Amino acid sequence: ATCAASGCTHMRFYIHHDGDPEFTLAVSWAPTDRRAVRDLCALVAKRLPATASTRHISLVTENGVELPAGHCVCACVREGADLIAKSVARPPSQPAPAAAANAAEDLEPYLKAADKAYGARQLARAKTIYTELLGVYPRLFTALLRLGLIEEQAGRHEEACHWLQRAVREDPTSEEAAVALARSHLAAGEGEEAAAAVRAALERCGSGAGGKAGGKAAAKVAAKARRLKIELGRTLFKAGARQEGGALLTSILQQDMEQADALLPYGEACVALGQHDDALKIFLRLVTQRSDDSAVRRLLAASLGSKDGMALLRQEAAL
């Protein structure tokens, strides 16, 4: 349906009743309608069959996530959604500060279900549940991060950037979110934005309180900063700033030539530059340390498949 006055398209969704399988209410809701879920519950209750045992209801998604009574309908319900009206003993209460503070805990069972689906590679189901969770708790970091990763894996890099940028805003300390955001920017052809994402994460790491502490806290911050520097070198190289990225990776390796996490992107750079002799040496070393790493095996195969790959391998074997 379309609003004649403004030309806005109404959102349509459907409400079923757990006590009457034949009851279905088609709802057309204007995007400018800011009424809350409790108001929708009251409207639906009036349309329930006379056999309903109570006139008070709550609304839940197909995956069992209850819509908070005080949240705006447009923020909780998506186009074409199927909701279940469940009878309750009393009308939905007003949201209390304590309830809001415990929202994340209330969503834990549904978050576990989404994480389980994600881990089982049931990405469509995971995406549905994460999206519904964000309708209830829009700042849920795990949902934002996982939606970004799902979109990245599907090759929808602009959508991935959208979710991952939100994830980084919610948790600026997350290394996983920052690196995933950089990868998505790179895949979308946005090299400057990719490098900026890693630089920002590195700056936040350097300004963290852990850097001023001693012992394990300081070591943890230093290790994170080192990983981000490696990622920055890799990102710069892939974004076209090969000299800057290569120099950064070289400086890291000069400090410790045995660090596999730095050797891998350095080897990738060697392959890209056609330096297959150096690349082969690196990947032969890495494959003994990380034989199950598909990236190492793939890059080793690329080195061996080069014009002089087998000859270089025989040279290495003869040493």
Side-chain angles (χ1 to χ4, degrees):
T2 301
C3 176
S6 62
C8 62
T9 301
H10 285 57
M11 174 174 63
R12 292 186 64 84
F13 54 92
Y14 305 90
I15 297 177
H16 314 278
H17 187 237
D18 64 344
D20 185 352
E22 297 184 0
F23 175 84
T24 296
L25 178 64
V27 179
S28 179
W29 198 269
T32 54
D33 192 332
R34 310 310 296 171
R35 283 180 292 176
V37 170
R38 66 169 56 86
D39 301 313
L40 177 59
C41 288
L43 293 172
V44 175
K46 295 178 181 179
R47 302 291 297 275
L48 290 177
T51 54
S53 58
T54 177
R55 307 304 290 179
H56 302 307
I57 64 166
S58 65
L59 293 173
V60 301
T61 69
E62 288 182 290
N63 292 304
V65 179
E66 182 174 347
L67 305 185
H71 284 218
C72 176
V73 172
C74 290
C76 296
V77 183
R78 57 182 172 81
E79 170 71 27
D82 287 289
L83 303 176
I84 311 298
K86 290 183 174 291
S87 299
V88 295
R90 60 186 60 142
S93 60
Q94 296 289 332
N102 294 326
E105 292 183 11
D106 295 338
L107 298 178
E108 187 64 25
Y110 312 110
L111 186 57
K112 286 183 178 179
D115 290 344
K116 182 178 179 180
Y118 182 85
R121 304 292 299 168
Q122 299 170 353
L123 300 186
R125 173 173 169 76
K127 181 177 178 179
T128 297
I129 303 176
Y130 285 131
T131 302
E132 291 176 348
L133 285 168
L134 288 178
V136 177
Y137 195 72
R139 300 180 61 181
L140 189 62
F141 168 76
T142 301
L144 294 169
L145 173 62
R146 289 288 171 78
L147 282 173
L149 295 176
I150 288 170
E151 297 297 343
E152 180 192 14
Q153 293 171 53
R156 295 185 288 266
H157 301 295
E158 290 185 3
E159 292 86 345
C161 288
H162 164 76
W163 293 116
L164 293 168
Q165 284 168 349
R166 289 181 58 183
V168 170
R169 285 197 296 269
E170 290 305 320
D171 185 1
T173 68
S174 172
E175 180 181 351
E176 183 180 10
V179 171
L181 177 58
R183 284 198 311 266
S184 294
H185 275 308
L186 267 180
E190 300 167 345
E192 291 185 4
E193 290 83 350
V198 186
R199 288 188 196 278
L202 191 54
E203 290 174 3
R204 290 190 293 268
C205 180
S207 62
K212 300 177 182 179
K216 293 182 179 179
K220 186 175 181 180
V221 171
K224 179 179 179 180
R226 187 177 184 283
R227 290 193 302 270
L228 287 170
K229 286 180 181 178
I230 293 169
E231 191 60 38
L232 179 58
R234 184 205 307 261
T235 301
L236 287 167
F237 189 90
K238 290 186 175 181
R242 289 186 165 187
Q243 184 173 356
E244 183 181 0
L248 180 55
L249 291 172
T250 300
S251 68
I252 294 170
L253 280 172
Q254 285 175 343
Q255 299 173 23
D256 188 348
M257 285 296 295
E258 298 300 321
Q259 288 298 318
D261 54 351
L263 280 170
L264 182 58
Y266 189 84
E268 290 176 326
C270 290
V271 171
L273 294 171
Q275 299 172 357
H276 295 291
D277 187 7
D278 291 337
L280 186 61
K281 292 176 181 178
I282 290 171
F283 297 135
L284 286 174
R285 180 189 303 180
L286 285 175
V287 80
T288 61
Q289 303 174 16
R290 300 161 61 171
S291 58
D292 294 332
D293 192 319
S294 59
V296 172
R297 296 200 304 271
R298 173 175 52 79
L299 290 165
L300 176 59
S303 296
L304 292 172
S306 66
K307 181 180 179 180
D308 301 319
M310 295 308 297
L312 292 171
L313 178 62
R314 285 192 288 270
Q315 290 178 15
E316 287 296 315
L319 295 178

